[in-house]
């Protein structure tokens, strides 16, 4: 729903991309189904299944009001980065696009990792949350995102345009348990289908 322009941009240019999903999405008791749906979506997005890891940690169960331990998240992130020799991470910003508490916790977990454990040369980037008008402006937001990125000339912001937005729609359609009318509308009209603005986390 949010990162497909970034995923498509990186895979199309030959970058080795790993996806770490912190929860199976079991808030409604459908975690097993949703895990399989994410595998299918990753296949559509051309991310090899051995480069996708989905956790089902008892301390990281999803849902509003479920607070995730930032230190635990940082430890998991450190282990994955070390075992897979990863040198850059992309995550949510402090608002988490939709304001979901679990998205925000992941951002804070990354910040704990950066502060306490990350190698000096390690890079981390966050997906910039936009206001509601931009969020539902579809491809129009490409121009606004470009202007936003150009305003930051120091290289701390990048605008990644989705060269195949239809692929994003097909990937989201793999999540049959969540593919209800309002999510179809979201993917159709959301600016996050067409463009991602990434900002470097200092």
């Amino acid at each position: 729903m949010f990162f497909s322009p970034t995923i498509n941009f990186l895979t199309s240019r030959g970058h080795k991309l790993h996806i770490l999903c912190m929860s199976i999405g079991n808030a409604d008791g459908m975690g097993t189904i949703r895990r399989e749906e994410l595998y299918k979506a990753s296949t559509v997005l051309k991310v090899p299944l051995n480069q996708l890891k989905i956790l089902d940690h008892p301390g990281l169960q999803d849902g509003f009001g479920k607070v995730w331990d930032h230190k635990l998240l940082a430890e998991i992130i450190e282990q994955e980065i070390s075992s897979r020799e990863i040198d850059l991470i992309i995550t949510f910003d402090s608002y988490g696009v939709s304001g979901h508490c679990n998205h925000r916790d992941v951002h804070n977990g990354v910040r704990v990792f950066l502060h306490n454990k990350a190698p000096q040369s390690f890079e981390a980037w966050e997906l910039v949350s936009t206001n509601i008008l931009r969020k539902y402006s579809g491809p129009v937001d490409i121009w606004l995102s470009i202007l936003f990125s150009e305003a930051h000339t120091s290289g701390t912001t990048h605008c990644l345009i989705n060269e195949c937005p239809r692929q994003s729609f097909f990937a989201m359609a793999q999540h049959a348990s969540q593919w209800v009318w309002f999510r179809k509308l979201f993917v159709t009209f959301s600016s996050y289908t067409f463009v991602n603005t990434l900002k470097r986390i200092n």
Side-chain angles (χ1 to χ4, degrees), residues 22-23 59-63 66-70 73 102 105-106:
M22 293 295 185
S23 168
L60 301 175
Q61 296 300 305
D62 76 309
K66 298 284 183 70
V67 178
W68 290 357
D69 187 299
H70 301 164
L73 289 165
N102 299 154
D105 285 334
V106 169

Side-chain angles (χ1 to χ4, degrees), residues 7 88 95 118 124 131 137 147 152 155-156 168:
I7 294 171
L88 184 149
Y95 183 70
N131 61 50
S137 63
L147 289 172
H152 296 76
T156 59
S168 302

